């Protein structure tokens, strides 16, 4: 979708943006022309620091360490394949 998003530590930090005590979420609909450069810098920071890292960590799921049952099953398949090749 390409929508930049970030999880902020506390509701009070979002509240400072909208001049309230707290805010649960924040969506920017309009940006003044003098603030566009600052917003683009913020969006690029969020993308490289949060969104892109999430995609990178999502690709490296698991550690390749299998349990005893999985190792035994693979070993059994390997031995069966070796027996089939010998015959």
């Amino acid at each position: 979708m390409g929508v930049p998003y970030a999880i902020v530590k506390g509701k009070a930090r979002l509240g400072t943006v909208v001049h309230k005590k707290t805010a649960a979420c924040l969506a920017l609909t309009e940006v003044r022309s003098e603030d566009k450069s600052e917003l683009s810098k913020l969006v690029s920071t969020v993308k490289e620091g949060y969104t892109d890292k999430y995609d990178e960590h999502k690709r490296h799921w698991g550690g390749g360490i299998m349990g005893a049952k999985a190792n035994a099953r693979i070993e059994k398949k390997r031995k069966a394949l070796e027996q089939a090749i010998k015959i």
Side-chain angles (χ1 to χ4, degrees):
M1 294 181 93
V3 177
Y5 66 94
I7 298 173
V8 181
K9 187 172 183 176
K11 292 186 339 182
R13 290 186 183 188
L14 286 180
T16 58
V17 175
V18 293
H19 306 292
K20 301 274 185 183
K21 189 174 181 180
T22 60
C25 63
L26 176 68
L28 300 176
T29 57
E30 295 179 9
V31 179
R32 293 186 296 194
S33 60
E34 60 266 12
D35 294 332
K36 286 191 181 200
S37 64
E38 190 174 339
L39 179 67
S40 66
K41 188 187 332 177
L42 179 66
V43 167
S44 66
T45 303
V46 166
K47 278 188 177 181
E48 73 182 32
Y50 187 77
T51 309
D52 294 342
K53 284 185 180 182
Y54 172 74
D55 291 336
E56 180 181 323
H57 289 292
K58 188 171 73 171
R59 285 188 215 115
H60 301 296
W61 184 71
I65 301 171
M66 296 186 292
K69 290 180 186 177
N71 285 331
R73 185 175 63 240
I74 290 174
E75 185 67 23
K76 184 178 176 182
K77 285 182 183 179
R78 186 185 63 78
K79 285 182 181 180
L81 184 63
E82 286 178 359
Q83 289 293 342
I85 292 173
K86 286 183 181 178
I87 294 177

